[in-house]
Amino acid sequence: MKVEIGDATLYLGDCIDVMKQWPPCFKVSAVITDPPYPDWLAEEYCYYDGIIDFLNNLDCKQLVFWSTKVEFPLNYSARHIWDKKTGCGSEYEFLFERNGQKNYKMARFYFINSEVAAKFNGDVWTGHKSQKPIGLMRWCIEQAGNAETIFDPFMGSGTTGVAAIQMGKKFIGIEREPKYFDIACKRIEQASKQVDMFIEPPKQEQVSFL
C-alpha cells in the first residue's frame, strides 16, 4: 500500500519487496534509518543476517543506527555516538555514517521510553520500543548536508519522516507493521499541516480599473 502525504511518500510492506517494484534508476539523496539488529528486540522486529545488505546498492550518504555486540556489517566512513543523557555511562548508541564525512561526532538528546520522556523531548509517545527523539533525527538530517530526499526503509512510527518534513525535505518511508505504519501516517500528516501553517499563501494580483 502506498500513501502520499504532502512531500512524503509512505509504503506499507517489507522494504526489500517494496524496492523491487521501483525502477532501476530510482535515487534518493540520503538514507537515515534505525534497522532491526541482533539485540533483545531482534526477534520482535524480524531481524535476520544480511538485513541491511541492500544499502550497498544505494549510492548516497547513509546514517544507520547499529548498537549491538555484533560488528556493523558494512563499510563506513565514520561512527557517531548518541548520548542518551540518562546519567548512566553505558547509555549510548552508535550511528554509522557511510559515503560521507570522516569526522566522528556526538549527539546528546534524551532517551524516549515513556510518555513523560516523549513530552520532555517535545514529542508524543508512540509506544515503539526504539522510538528516537525528533531532535536527534533532525541532527542526523543535518549531517546529510544538502540532501533533498530522505529515505527510511525501516520507518517505524515515523520520527525520521516528521523531522524531514519539519526541515522542508521530501521523505520516503517504508514500514512492515500496520500498527506503526498508521501511527507514522498520522504523525507525518500532522507535521505537514504544521509546516503549511507557516507558508505564506500566494498574493493575489492587484487589478486596477482606473
Side-chain angles (χ1 to χ4, degrees), residues 43-57:
E43 183 175 351
E44 180 176 350
Y45 291 153
C46 303
Y47 166 82
Y48 57 86
D49 291 341
I51 193 169
I52 58 173
D53 286 355
F54 71 90
L55 293 179
N56 283 324
N57 299 323

Side-chain angles (χ1 to χ4, degrees), residues 10-205:
L10 313 178
Y11 296 87
L12 173 62
D14 183 273
C15 60
I16 301 299
D17 295 335
V18 171
M19 293 176 67
K20 287 180 180 178
Q21 303 175 25
W22 293 349
C25 60
F26 175 82
K27 292 183 178 181
V28 294
S29 307
V31 174
I32 299 177
T33 192
D34 181 19
Y37 40 75
D39 65 357
W40 63 286
L41 293 174
E43 183 175 351
E44 180 176 350
Y45 291 153
C46 303
Y47 166 82
Y48 57 86
D49 291 341
I51 193 169
I52 58 173
D53 286 355
F54 71 90
L55 293 179
N56 283 324
N57 299 323
L58 299 177
D59 184 18
C60 63
K61 181 170 289 190
Q62 303 173 14
L63 289 102
V64 185
F65 286 90
W66 191 271
S67 291
T68 174
K69 293 181 180 180
V70 177
E71 186 176 354
F72 186 67
L74 308 178
N75 294 329
Y76 60 93
S77 54
R79 184 181 67 174
H80 307 304
I81 294 177
W82 167 34
D83 177 4
K84 300 180 181 180
K85 301 177 68 173
T86 63
C88 301
S90 62
E91 288 297 324
Y92 60 86
E93 286 191 27
F94 291 120
L95 178 65
F96 291 84
E97 181 166 348
R98 310 184 69 234
N99 306 323
Q101 59 187 331
K102 297 183 179 180
N103 296 325
Y104 289 34
K105 297 182 179 180
M106 177 177 288
R108 291 185 171 91
F109 295 91
Y110 286 101
F111 177 53
I112 293 180
N113 61 353
S114 67
E115 184 175 352
V116 173
K119 288 183 178 179
F120 194 80
N121 278 280
D123 199 358
V124 294
W125 172 236
T126 67
H128 195 289
K129 295 179 181 178
S130 295
Q131 181 177 346
K132 298 294 186 290
I134 287 181
L136 174 62
M137 304 318 296
R138 289 174 64 95
W139 181 88
C140 291
I141 293 173
E142 289 173 356
Q143 308 314 304
N146 296 322
E148 296 181 357
T149 303
I150 307 300
F151 175 41
D152 186 351
F154 304 97
M155 179 172 63
S157 57
T159 304
T160 305
V162 171
I165 295 302
Q166 289 179 344
M167 298 176 71
K169 309 289 186 179
K170 295 181 180 179
F171 177 71
I172 299 173
I174 305 175
E175 173 54 38
R176 61 179 295 162
E177 296 296 332
K179 172 185 175 180
Y180 293 123
F181 180 80
D182 291 342
I183 292 174
C185 288
K186 292 176 182 177
R187 295 179 73 203
I188 292 171
E189 181 177 17
Q190 183 63 30
S192 298
K193 290 179 179 179
Q194 291 176 342
V195 169
D196 290 342
M197 289 175 59
F198 295 98
I199 299 178
E200 183 178 358
K203 295 181 180 179
Q204 295 185 6
E205 182 179 357

